Amino acid sequence: MHKILLITIILNLIIWIYLLLFRGKFWLADRRLLPISETEIRKIQYWPSISAIIPARNEAKLLRTTLKSLLNQDYPGNFKIILVDDNSKDNTANVANFIAQKNDDLTKLEVISAGNLSSGWSGKLWAINQGINYAKQQTPAPDYFLFTDADIEHSSTNIRQLIIKAEQENLALVSLMVKLQCQTLTEELMIPAFVFFFQKLYPFRWVNNPQNSTAAAAGGCILIRNQVLDEIGGIEVIRNALIDDCSLATAVKQKSTNKKIWLGLTSDTKSRRSYPDLFSIWSMIVRTAFTQLNYSPLLLVATVIGMKLIYLVPSLGIILGVIFSWWEIVAIAFLARILMFLAYLPIVRFYQLSPIYAMSLPTVALIYTLITIDSAWRHLRGRGSHWKGRTYSPEKSQQ
């Protein structure tokens, strides 16, 4: 047992050295959308036209904050907002029009209905597609589309910063991992880890390198050129994708002549959706966890083993090492635990939490592993994924 544990602990240490040094430095959380100086802004001679598409299903409460943030954008160019009411039951459309009227911005906002969900589409993408089709009928057609969720509160300069980033660097797609709400104890434990695991899976440096095939985006805030969207075949090429943001980024890198995309963090544009308890976060993650593994039982087994090996072994090594006085195991496991702490610390600081939260990663990783297993179990039982009153399966989308 001693030899097996020693080999396992050494392997764990090697894995953490690899993660810190050779996986795109994902853990630094340093890819940020930086403010633009007034000097740079004055250099802009043409501000492209933008249509923001907001798929909204039962979002009346959040729109009072989030829609207002878009209506108040400090953007010099032509900027239109198309809110697609996706069969809401809570008066979303009327609330949106009331907010625009109160803000004296009725000309900037169009509220349309998505109609009944078409077979083979996910609900969100069906609504986005209706918004795209509507925007393309306008004169002139937009130069860019902004796909954003109804729970996102944008900083007043967010659109301007996204456009300058895209224009200056000739990017096909720019996306922000917005700052998720992190106020309750459950959010403080689970949300930083959600972003950490996302960055580990899709290192932002690799995503932002056109020579690297890694592609990802964050669905809450995606700016894409109209021309690029047409080039890849429109949003319908990913019409049944549950992880639609990363699927769109992949399509751009694979099919567009311009493969330059950019993904980064922001602390100024935020999600206002709350996850007050473990159940609410569990429901959010379980929807796509098994989808991320391509519904593969083999990948599920590999993931469960990998999560245990990476996150649980150091603590186990310290405990057993102390019990049996295997001090070399304790020393190696403790070093691995320090590396884990250092890797997790930047995203904990990004969320302005105490460094003590960086010690919670093994426990949180165990919870995420259980969520992934539950996601697979639901799929195998034919229960599919549930979100906003709809059930999705990998083959089709249902109302």
Side-chain angles (χ1 to χ4, degrees), residues 233-306:
I235 206 71
E236 54 265 35
V237 300
I238 59 166
R239 60 184 176 273
N240 62 351
L242 294 186
I243 309 176
D244 49 85
D245 41 18
C246 294
S247 297
L248 179 60
T250 299
V252 171
K253 268 203 169 182
Q254 290 180 349
K255 298 183 178 183
S256 173
T257 54
N258 181 358
K259 303 183 184 303
K260 296 176 65 176
I261 68 176
W262 188 88
L263 171 62
L265 297 169
T266 176
S267 57
D268 297 326
T269 293
K270 306 172 183 178
S271 171
R272 289 305 178 190
R273 192 172 304 285
S274 63
Y275 300 97
D277 50 42
L278 181 59
F279 175 77
S280 58
I281 291 183
W282 193 294
S283 299
M284 182 267 290
I285 299 170
V286 79
R287 181 174 65 100
T288 58
F290 195 44
T291 306
Q292 190 72 65
L293 301 178
N294 295 319
Y295 307 101
S296 168
L298 290 178
L299 284 178
L300 174 66
V301 172
T303 297
V304 172
I305 294 174

Side-chain angles (χ1 to χ4, degrees), residues 133-163:
N133 291 338
Y134 184 88
K136 288 191 172 184
Q137 295 172 8
Q138 309 306 305
T139 303
D143 298 309
Y144 286 87
F145 286 108
L146 174 72
F147 302 144
T148 184
D149 292 340
D151 65 317
I152 306 301
E153 181 182 8
H154 297 260
S155 68
S156 61
T157 60
N158 190 44
I159 306 302
R160 187 172 64 183
Q161 288 178 265
L162 289 170
I163 284 292

Side-chain angles (χ1 to χ4, degrees), residues 5-17:
L5 184 58
L6 178 61
I7 293 173
T8 305
I9 289 294
I10 292 174
L11 177 59
N12 176 272
L13 180 61
I14 292 172
I15 289 173
W16 277 106
I17 291 173

Side-chain angles (χ1 to χ4, degrees), residues 372-393:
T372 303
I373 294 172
D374 184 34
S375 179
W377 178 242
R378 295 186 187 200
H379 170 74
L380 294 174
R381 292 177 61 193
R383 291 172 60 188
S385 303
H386 301 270
W387 190 246
K388 293 191 177 182
R390 289 189 173 116
T391 301
Y392 300 102
S393 69

Side-chain angles (χ1 to χ4, degrees), residues 221-235:
C221 184
I222 298 176
L223 183 76
I224 185 170
R225 294 176 187 265
N226 189 351
Q227 181 181 355
V228 170
L229 190 61
D230 286 340
E231 189 178 4
I232 66 174
I235 206 71

Side-chain angles (χ1 to χ4, degrees), residues 193-227:
F194 177 83
V195 181
F196 178 83
F197 293 140
F198 184 87
Q199 291 179 120
K200 189 179 75 170
L201 190 60
Y202 305 105
F204 288 7
R205 278 178 168 81
W206 292 2
V207 170
N208 300 344
N209 181 359
Q211 307 303 319
N212 192 302
S213 62
T214 304
C221 184
I222 298 176
L223 183 76
I224 185 170
R225 294 176 187 265
N226 189 351
Q227 181 181 355

